[in-house]
C-alpha cells in the first residue's frame, strides 16, 4: 500500500524515526526488534526447544461423545505397545489429587482428564506417556472407552429450557478479584449473569415513536494461531518447572501450585515469544495435565498438539443477542434492551468475566435514557469457549451497531450523522454509570467517514454489481482491576535490563516497553533488553490479554524507570557534591541546568561500585482499581480503568450473481490515548481489522449433534490475501489518558470490534436487506436477495 493509503492522519510524535544508537523513545516509529526473526523463522519458540532424551511424550485419547457417563476404560492394548511408559485416566489423577485436579479461572469445573463423565466430544479422557510421540498417539488410538450416553445440551435454548445439566454443581474458583463474588449453585446451566438497569426501559419502549428489534447471531470461531500450543513439565530438586506457550504465566504458576498443593516458590513457569495468541493460550490449556503427569511420575513430560487438537482446546463464544432500540418523535434514543446469551461450552473458563465486561456495553457508546440488559454465560456440551481478541465485545457490537443503523434508516436519517449526534462525549455518563474519559468516539467516527469519503457519491450500480457504504463504532472496557510489576537493572555500560511478565506474542510489547523506559532514562531504546517471562525472575503480571499491557505494564515500566532515573541523579549529586535539584538527565548524561555535561551515566555507576559490569536495581508496581458494579443494577461509577474507542467504515461492491463482496476501501480508527509507537499501532489496527474480515465472511465452527465437523484447516475457512481490502487505511486518534503512560492506552482489540456490522450495514445500503447472522457468506447473501429480507 502507498503511504497515502496506510496513513490517513499521522499522529504527532515526540521523536522522529532515528538511527540506531539514538533515543527512539515514545512516539518513534521504531521497528520491532524481532521483526526479521519472525519473518525468517529464526526466533526460538517453545516448540523449538530441544526435548531431552528420556522425556515422556504425551498423547491424549479424546471423547467421542458430547455427554456421557464413563462406564469403563480399557487401556490393556495401549499398555502393551513397545515404548509405552504408562496410561493414565481421570480416575487415576483424581486418586492422586482429589478435587484439586478441577481447575479454572472462574469455576473449578475443568478436569485435565475426564472424571466419571465427559461433557463434550473431544474432551481428554486418557493420556499415554511413551518414548516418542508416534508411539504415544498409536497407543492412544488403542484405548477403548465404554460410555453410557446422557442427553446432550446442544445450544443455549436447550440449556435454558431443559432439565439436563452440564454440571450438577458449580464450585467457584478464587483466582481473580473481579470474580471473587461468584457463588456455588446447583442444577443450572447458567454459570453467570450480569444485569444492567437504568431507568424504565419497558415503559420508554412502549411510549416511543419508533423502535427496531433484531435477533443477532455470531457463531463460535477458532483462533488459528500460527504456533501450535505445546507444554513441557518436569521436576527439578523438588520444584515443578513448566515451559509452555501461555499468555498467563503467573496464572499457570498459581494453578499448578494449587493443583499440586505446593507453595508458589516451588513452581517455575517460563515461556518464549509466542507465535500468536489472541486468547487461545490463556489459563487452563495443556498445563494442568502436564503438571499432574510430571509430578505423579517424577519425570519430564512433553505435550505437543496437532492442528486438529488445537481446535479442541478452546473457541470464541458463540452468542445470540435479542436487541431493541427506540427513539422519540425528535429522533432521540430513549430506550435500549438486550438479552445476551453466550455459549460457554462445557467449561466456564473466563466466560463469567466476558459476560459482564461485554454485557455492560451492549447499548453501545450512545446516550440513552433507559437501559435494561440481561447477559448470561451458559453451559452446553460443546468445546469450551474462552478469551478471544475483543473479549466478547465484537458479538455485542454486531448487535448494537445493527439496530442503530436500522433505526437510522427507519427514521430516514443518515446512519453516520445519526450515530454522531448520539455518541458519548468526554464526561458523559455511559449506561453502566461510568463517566467517559479519553474515549473520543466522535473523532474516530469522523476519521473513518472522511477517509472513505462518506459524503461523496456512491458508484452507480453496474448490472449485477451493487455498491454500498457502511459505518460502525466500537466500545470496550479494559480489564480492571489487574496488577503489573516491573524490575529494572541499569548496567554500568548505560544499558538496561527490563524484567516484566508481559508476553510478546507478535504485538511488539517488548519493543514498546523499551521505548517507554528509554524515554524516561534518556538512553537509546535499543540498549534496553526485555527478559522473557520467567516466574523465577520476572515479577507478577495478571495476564497478557485484553489489550491491558500498554496501560498497566507500561505504567509499571514508566514508574520503575522514573525511580531509576531518580536514583542515578541522586548518585551523581552525591559524587558531584551538587544538590540533586540542580541536575538533569539528558541524552548526553547528567547535566547542570545550562546543559553542561557533568558526568556520563557509565561514569556515575562506575564511581559508585568501582567495577565494570555493576548494576543498579529498581522495582515498581502498578495496580488499576475499580468500583465493583452493583449486583442488582450493574452500575458502577468506575467500572474500568479506561475505554477503547474505535470505528470502521467500508465501501463495498456486491456481486448479486455470486453473493461475493469486494472491499473497495476500509478505514479503521482507534483512540490510543497516545501512540507510543505509531508503526505498531497501525499494525495492530490493520491486523485486527483483517481478523474481523475473517469473522465477518468466513470463520465459524460447525457442530452437528455436538460433533465439530470442520475442525481442520481443510474445512475451516479463513480469508486469504485476495479477500483483503483493495485499500486499507489505519487511523490513529489520540485523546491522552490522564493516568496512562505518556497518555497511552491499548489498541490490540480496537480494530476488530466494529468490522462485522460495518460490512452488514454496507450490504444493507447496497441491497436493501438486513443480514443478522454471521458469517455473511455468499450463500446467505444470495438467500437474502431471493427472499428479500433478513438472513
Amino acid at each position: 500500500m502507498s503511504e497515502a493509503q496506510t496513513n490517513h492522519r499521522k499522529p504527532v510524535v515526540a521523536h522522529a524515526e532515528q538511527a540506531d544508537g539514538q533515543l527512539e523513545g515514545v512516539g518513534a516509529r521504531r521497528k520491532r526488534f524481532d521483526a526479521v526473526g519472525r519473518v525468517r523463522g529464526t526466533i526460538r519458540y517453545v516448540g523449538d526447544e530441544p526435548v531431552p532424551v528420556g522425556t515422556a511424550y504425551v498423547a491424549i485419547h479424546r471423547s467421542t461423545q458430547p455427554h456421557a457417563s464413563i462406564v469403563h476404560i480399557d487401556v490393556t492394548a495401549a499398555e502393551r505397545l513397545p515404548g509405552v511408559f504408562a496410561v493414565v485416566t481421570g480416575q487415576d489423577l483424581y486418586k492422586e489429587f482429589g478435587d484439586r485436579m478441577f481447575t479454572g479461572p472462574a469455576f473449578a469445573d475443568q478436569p485435565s482428564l475426564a472424571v466419571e463423565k465427559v461433557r463434550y466430544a473431544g474432551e481428554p479422557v486418557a493420556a499415554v506417556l511413551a518414548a516418542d510421540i508416534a508411539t504415544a498417539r498409536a497407543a492412544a488410538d488403542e484405548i477403548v472407552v465404554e460410555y453410557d450416553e446422557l442427553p446432550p445440551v446442544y445450544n443455549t435454548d436447550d440449556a435454558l429450557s431443559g432439565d439436563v445439566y452440564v454440571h450438577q454443581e458449580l464450585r467457584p474458583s478464587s483466582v481473580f478479584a473481579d470474580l471473587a463474588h461468584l457463588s456455588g449453585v446447583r442444577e443450572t446451566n447458567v454459570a453467570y449473569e450480569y444485569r444492567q438497569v437504568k431507568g424504565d426501559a419497558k415503559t420508554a419502549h412502549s411510549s416511543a415513536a419508533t423502535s427496531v428489534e433484531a435477533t443477532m447471531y455470531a457463531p463460535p470461531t477458532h483462533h488459528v494461531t500460527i504456533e501450535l500450543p505445546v507444554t513441557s513439565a518436569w521436576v527439578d530438586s523438588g520444584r515443578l518447572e513448566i515451559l509452555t506457550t501461555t499468555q498467563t504465566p503467573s496464572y499457570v504458576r498459581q494453578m499448578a501450585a494449587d493443583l499440586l498443593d505446593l507453595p508458589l516458590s516451588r513452581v517455575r513457569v517460563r515461556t518464549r515469544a509466542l507465535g500468536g495468541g489472541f486468547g487461545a493460550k490463556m489459563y487452563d490449556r495443556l498445563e494442568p495435565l502436564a503438571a499432574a503427569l510430571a509430578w505423579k511420575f517424577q519425570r519430564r513430560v512433553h505435550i505437543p498438539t496437532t492442528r486438529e487438537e488445537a481446535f479442541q482446546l478452546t473457541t470464541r463464544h458463540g452468542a445470540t443477542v435479542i436487541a431493541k432500540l427506540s427513539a422519540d418523535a425528535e429522533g432521540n434514543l430513549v430506550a435500549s434492551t438486550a438479552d445476551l446469551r453466550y455459549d460457554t461450552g462445557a467449561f466456564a473458563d473466563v466466560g463469567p468475566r466476558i459476560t459482564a465486561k461485554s454485557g455492560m456495553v451492549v447499548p453501545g457508546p450512545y446516550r440513552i435514557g433507559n437501559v435494561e440488559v440481561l447477559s448470561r454465560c451458559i453451559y452446553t456440551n460443546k468445546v469450551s469457549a474462552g478469551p478471544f481478541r475483543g473479549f466478547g465485545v465484537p458479538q455485542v457490537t454486531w448487535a448494537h451497531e445493527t439496530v442503530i443503523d436500522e433505526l437510522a434508516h427507519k427514521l430516514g436519517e443518515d446512519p453516520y450523522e445519526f450515530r454522531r449526534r448520539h455518541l458519548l462525549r468526554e464526561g458523559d455518563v455511559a449506561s453502566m454509570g461510568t463517566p467517559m474519559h479519553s474515549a473520543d468516539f466522535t473523532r474516530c467516527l469522523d476519521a473513518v467517514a472522511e477517509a472513505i469519503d462518506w459524503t461523496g457519491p456512491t458508484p452507480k450500480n453496474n448490472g449485477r454489481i451493487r455498491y454500498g457504504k457502511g459505518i460502525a463504532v466500537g466500545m470496550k472496557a479494559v480489564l480492571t482491576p489487574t496488577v503489573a510489576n516491573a524490575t529494572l537493572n541499569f548496567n554500568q555500560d548505560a544499558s538496561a535490563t527490563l524484567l516484566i511478565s508481559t508476553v510478546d506474542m507478535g504485538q511488539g510489547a517488548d519493543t514498546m516497553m523499551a521505548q517507554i523506559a528509554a524515554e524516561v532514562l534518556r538512553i537509546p531504546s535499543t540498549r534496553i533488553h526485555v527478559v522473557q517471562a520467567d516466574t523465577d525472575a520476572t515479577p507478577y503480571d495478571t495476564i497478557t490479554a485484553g489489550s491491558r499491557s500498554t496501560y498497566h505494564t507500561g505504567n509499571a515500566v514508566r514508574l520503575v524507570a522514573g525511580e531509576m532515573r531518580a536514583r542515578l541523579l541522586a548518585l551523581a549529586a552525591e559524587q558531584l557534591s551538587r544538590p540533586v535539584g540542580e541536575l538533569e538527565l539528558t541524552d548526553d548524561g547528567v547535566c547542570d541546568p545550562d546543559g553542561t555535561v557533568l558526568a556520563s551515566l557509565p561514569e556515575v555507576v562506575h564511581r559508585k561500585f568501582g567495577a565494570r559490569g555493576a548494576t543498579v536495581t529498581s522495582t515498581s508496581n502498578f495496580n488499576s482499581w475499580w468500583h465493583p458494579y452493583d449486583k442488582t443494577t450493574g452500575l458502577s461509577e468506575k467500572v474500568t480503568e479506561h475505554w477503547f474507542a474505535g470505528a470502521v467504515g467500508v465501501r463495498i461492491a456486491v456481486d448479486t450473481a455470486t453473493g461475493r463482496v469486494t472491499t473497495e476501501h476500509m478505514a479503521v480508527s482507534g483512540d490510543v490515548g497516545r501512540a507510543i509507537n505509531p508503526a505498531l499501532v497501525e499494525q495492530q489496527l490493520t491486523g485486527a481489522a483483517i481478523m474481523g474480515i475473517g469473522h465477518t465472511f468466513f470463520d465459524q465452527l460447525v457442530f452437528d449433534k455436538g460433533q465439530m465437523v470442520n475442525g481442520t484447516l481443510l474445512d475451516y475457512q479463513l480469508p486469504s490475501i485476495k479477500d483483503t481490502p483493495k485499500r486499507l487505511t489505519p487511523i490513529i486518534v489520540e485523546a491522552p489518558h490522564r493516568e496512562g503512560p505518556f497518555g497511552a492506552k491499548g489498541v490490540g482489540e480496537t480494530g476488530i470490534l466494529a468490522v462485522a456490522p460495518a460490512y452488514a450495514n454496507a450490504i444493507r445500503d447496497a441491497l436493501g436487506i438486513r443480514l443478522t447472522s454471521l458469517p455473511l457468506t455468499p450463500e446467505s447473501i444470495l438467500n437474502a436477495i431471493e427472499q428479500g429480507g433478513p438472513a
Side-chain angles (χ1 to χ4, degrees):
M1 299 179 187
S2 68
E3 185 175 357
Q5 289 176 318
T6 58
N7 294 292
H8 173 71
R9 186 185 67 82
K10 290 186 178 179
V12 177
V13 298
H15 306 282
E17 187 170 359
Q18 298 163 337
D20 185 52
Q22 294 184 313
L23 188 64
E24 291 195 291
V26 171
R29 287 177 168 269
R30 179 189 163 188
K31 295 179 180 179
R32 288 186 290 186
F33 81 95
D34 59 354
V36 173
R38 285 188 181 271
V39 171
R40 292 181 175 175
T42 57
I43 285 182
R44 184 181 291 275
Y45 296 96
V46 173
D48 296 326
E49 291 295 315
V51 179
V53 175
T55 297
Y57 286 80
V58 179
I60 297 169
H61 178 89
R62 297 178 178 274
S63 168
T64 59
Q65 301 296 321
H67 198 200
S69 297
I70 299 174
V71 177
H72 179 67
I73 303 176
D74 186 351
V75 301
T76 306
E79 290 177 326
R80 288 175 178 168
L81 284 183
V84 170
F85 303 142
V87 181
V88 182
T89 68
Q91 283 294 344
D92 295 330
L93 295 184
Y94 189 77
K95 290 176 184 177
E96 183 102 4
F97 303 108
D99 287 342
R100 299 198 310 273
M101 72 172 289
F102 292 88
T103 63
F107 289 98
D109 61 0
Q110 183 171 339
S112 49
L113 294 175
V115 178
E116 294 185 352
K117 77 171 187 174
V118 296
R119 293 176 172 85
Y120 73 92
E123 181 176 359
V125 174
V128 176
L129 288 74
D132 57 77
I133 191 61
T135 299
R137 287 171 177 163
D141 289 341
E142 294 295 323
I143 296 172
V144 178
V145 183
E146 181 183 348
Y147 295 104
D148 186 1
E149 295 184 27
L150 299 172
V153 179
Y154 290 139
N155 54 57
T156 57
D157 288 341
D158 293 343
L160 294 174
S161 61
D163 57 1
V164 175
Y165 304 110
V166 179
H167 297 271
Q168 290 300 312
E169 181 179 4
L170 308 183
R171 296 175 297 173
S173 177
S174 57
V175 176
F176 298 117
D178 62 325
L179 300 179
H181 64 281
L182 295 177
S183 58
V185 294
R186 294 184 61 85
E187 295 186 346
T188 180
N189 286 317
V190 179
Y192 186 79
E193 73 175 34
Y194 164 84
R195 291 180 181 271
Q196 184 182 127
V197 179
K198 174 188 175 185
D200 186 348
K202 183 177 181 180
T203 299
H205 276 312
S206 63
S207 60
T210 310
S211 298
V212 167
E213 187 170 4
T215 298
M216 311 296 297
Y217 177 69
T221 61
H222 184 51
H223 305 69
V224 199
T225 60
I226 294 177
E227 176 198 30
L228 290 169
V230 58
T231 299
S232 289
W234 63 97
V235 180
D236 185 2
S237 302
R239 299 181 76 224
L240 178 75
E241 300 213 13
I242 300 175
L243 177 64
T244 185
T245 50
T246 183
Q247 298 170 232
T248 52
S250 296
Y251 170 87
V252 170
R253 184 192 193 198
Q254 181 177 339
M255 174 279 301
D258 291 344
L259 169 65
L260 305 181
D261 196 22
L262 296 173
L264 286 173
S265 61
R266 290 180 62 188
V267 178
R268 179 189 187 189
V269 177
R270 289 183 293 142
T271 189
R272 300 289 190 193
L274 299 186
F278 316 119
K281 297 170 182 175
M282 293 173 62
Y283 305 124
D284 304 277
R285 300 296 175 243
L286 304 175
E287 294 86 6
L289 179 59
L293 294 177
W295 195 258
K296 177 179 174 61
F297 293 101
Q298 293 289 296
R299 69 181 302 163
R300 187 173 184 128
V301 299
H302 181 70
I303 311 179
T305 57
T306 63
R307 180 62 66 182
E308 290 74 18
E309 287 176 309
F311 273 88
Q312 300 284 353
L313 290 176
T314 186
T315 71
R316 183 176 87 156
H317 287 81
T320 300
V321 188
I322 304 170
K324 185 175 182 179
L325 184 64
S326 295
D328 61 19
E330 287 74 41
N332 299 309
L333 302 179
V334 295
S336 172
T337 55
D339 181 350
L340 170 57
R341 304 173 185 182
Y342 280 112
D343 185 341
T344 202
F347 306 119
D349 199 275
V350 77
R353 179 184 274 169
I354 292 172
T355 299
K357 300 296 183 184
S358 58
M360 68 179 64
V361 297
V362 177
Y366 303 106
R367 298 187 301 275
I368 306 173
N370 303 276
V371 171
E372 184 171 348
V373 172
L374 173 60
S375 179
R376 287 174 285 184
C377 174
I378 303 168
Y379 285 113
T380 62
N381 291 119
K382 292 202 285 287
V383 177
S384 176
F388 199 117
R389 193 177 202 169
F391 214 64
V393 175
Q395 295 95 309
V396 302
T397 308
W398 168 233
H400 67 65
E401 288 305 284
T402 293
V403 291
I404 195 168
D405 200 79
E406 195 60 32
L407 184 59
H409 282 289
K410 199 168 184 178
L411 293 171
E413 296 202 33
D414 178 88
Y416 158 59
E417 295 290 350
F418 187 65
R419 282 177 172 81
R420 195 180 194 283
R421 195 173 76 203
H422 296 294
L423 282 172
L424 294 164
R425 267 75 170 179
E426 181 78 15
D428 284 347
V429 178
S431 64
M432 81 297 297
T434 300
M436 289 289 105
H437 168 59
S438 180
D440 203 334
F441 299 106
T442 304
R443 284 174 62 200
C444 288
L445 182 68
D446 290 347
V448 297
E450 179 185 350
I452 67 168
D453 191 17
W454 179 269
T455 58
T458 298
K460 292 183 179 180
N461 294 331
N462 179 18
R464 70 189 201 186
I465 306 300
R466 300 289 185 268
Y467 297 93
K469 60 187 178 184
I471 206 163
V473 186
M475 170 188 189
K476 181 184 179 296
V478 74
L479 182 60
T480 309
T482 64
V483 179
N485 293 277
T487 299
L488 185 68
N489 295 330
F490 191 87
N491 306 313
Q492 186 271 328
D493 64 353
S495 65
T497 304
L498 179 62
L499 293 91
I500 54 176
S501 288
T502 292
V503 179
D504 198 317
M505 47 193 176
Q507 79 276 41
D510 288 356
T511 301
M512 184 191 62
M513 296 303 170
Q515 290 181 259
I516 292 174
E519 184 73 22
V520 178
L521 294 172
R522 311 308 297 175
I523 64 175
S525 63
T526 54
R527 292 182 62 80
I528 298 176
H529 171 64
V530 181
V531 177
Q532 292 176 331
D534 178 345
T535 58
D536 266 10
T538 58
Y540 178 85
D541 185 85
T542 303
I543 56 174
T544 304
S547 304
R548 61 170 290 279
S549 296
T550 298
Y551 184 89
H552 292 81
T553 307
N555 261 321
V557 170
R558 177 183 60 85
L559 291 170
V560 78
E563 176 155 339
M564 180 62 69
R565 178 190 180 103
R567 292 189 66 184
L568 293 171
L569 287 173
L571 289 175
E574 179 183 347
Q575 295 166 8
L576 298 169
S577 299
R578 300 278 294 268
V580 70
E582 293 183 2
L583 302 180
E584 296 179 1
L585 190 60
T586 72
D587 298 7
D588 298 317
V590 179
C591 301
D592 64 16
D594 296 329
T596 301
V597 179
L598 304 176
S600 68
L601 290 179
E603 289 172 337
V604 171
V605 178
H606 191 271
R607 287 171 184 165
K608 171 63 177 176
F609 296 101
R612 294 182 61 200
T615 61
V616 183
T617 300
S618 291
T619 62
S620 192
N621 161 265
F622 179 80
N623 294 354
S624 60
W625 63 277
W626 72 326
H627 286 293
Y629 48 81
D630 182 271
K631 300 306 180 293
T632 302
T633 65
L635 305 184
S636 165
E637 63 186 81
K638 186 187 178 186
V639 78
T640 187
E641 192 76 5
H642 71 75
W643 297 96
F644 303 105
V648 174
V650 294
R651 282 189 176 271
I652 64 168
V654 185
D655 188 329
T656 58
T658 65
R660 182 174 175 81
V661 175
T662 300
T663 309
E664 303 293 334
H665 189 186
M666 168 191 273
V668 54
S669 65
D671 176 1
V672 301
R674 172 78 180 280
I676 301 295
N677 184 321
L680 297 185
V681 169
E682 290 166 355
Q683 290 169 10
Q684 286 294 297
L685 288 171
T686 300
I690 292 173
M691 179 174 275
I693 289 173
H695 291 163
T696 301
F697 294 107
F698 301 97
D699 286 55
Q700 64 172 327
L701 286 170
V702 179
F703 291 86
D704 182 14
K705 296 182 179 180
Q707 303 285 339
M708 186 187 296
V709 299
N710 65 334
T712 76
L713 291 185
L714 292 174
D715 304 304
Y716 189 87
Q717 275 197 298
L718 293 168
S720 73
I721 192 67
K722 293 184 178 180
D723 300 302
T724 57
K726 292 181 179 178
R727 185 180 177 194
L728 177 54
T729 306
I731 307 169
I732 298 173
V733 173
E734 294 179 303
H737 192 283
R738 54 180 166 253
E739 296 179 9
F742 300 98
K745 307 181 299 184
V747 69
E749 298 165 294
T750 308
I752 199 173
L753 304 178
V755 174
Y759 273 106
N761 295 339
I763 292 171
R764 166 70 167 82
D765 182 52
L767 303 178
I769 57 176
R770 175 62 68 185
L771 301 173
T772 56
S773 291
L774 293 174
L776 309 179
T777 62
E779 292 81 2
S780 68
I781 292 172
L782 292 177
N783 287 338
I785 292 173
E786 183 178 340
Q787 297 169 7

